[in-house]
Amino acid sequence: WTNLGTALALPLAGVKWAASDDEAAVAPAQSSRAAAPGEARGGAEPVPPLDLDRLRRAPHERPRADPFAQKRWTVATLQPPRPAAPPPPRAPQAPPLPFTYIGHAVEAGQVTVFLTRGENSYVARAGATLDGTYRVERVDAGKVVFTYLPLGTRQELVLGPAK
């Protein structure tokens, strides 16, 4: 029982000792009379007077937006932009010449040119029509001049260096 009594007495003594130090540190009580503004209290620094006008609220300003106004939560549908006017159609053009030069022959001053298109072979002289779409206008030593009949455009097939 002595050990139990000692174990309880020591913490109680420590609490009592700590409480006695706190009471000694507390300053003596002030007098009940309030000091006038600007008057010193027992040697302490003077307290500045209170500016009570700073405690008043500013007059109410109008709110920037009405917080109670109805709101729409749907997204406004935008009109799709009108497509720009389509550019004017390009003038029709003749396709590239489909013929490949194989060789040529000269008989009695007239030049004959041998051409291929895919697996087909052609003998071309001035004035000849090939596949109903190309007419041979003239055959020179270095080129063959064709007319693409559907459009009437002229095209040239260069034969390479003349010998």
Side-chain angles (χ1 to χ4, degrees), residues 55-141:
L55 297 176
R56 291 197 178 112
R57 291 187 177 187
H60 292 292
E61 297 177 6
R62 301 211 94 219
R64 293 182 185 152
D66 184 10
F68 301 104
Q70 286 185 340
K71 297 193 178 0
R72 292 187 181 171
W73 298 102
T74 58
V75 177
T77 57
L78 299 175
Q79 296 293 331
R82 293 185 181 174
R90 293 185 357 184
Q93 295 179 345
L97 281 172
F99 303 109
T100 304
Y101 172 74
I102 296 175
H104 69 278
V106 180
E107 288 184 30
Q110 186 176 5
V111 180
T112 304
V113 180
F114 302 102
L115 306 171
T116 63
R117 179 181 186 181
E119 295 183 8
N120 299 328
S121 297
Y122 300 94
V123 177
R125 294 185 186 107
T129 302
L130 308 176
D131 287 343
T133 54
Y134 289 95
R135 183 176 59 229
V136 179
E137 295 297 324
R138 70 178 194 267
V139 179
D140 293 336

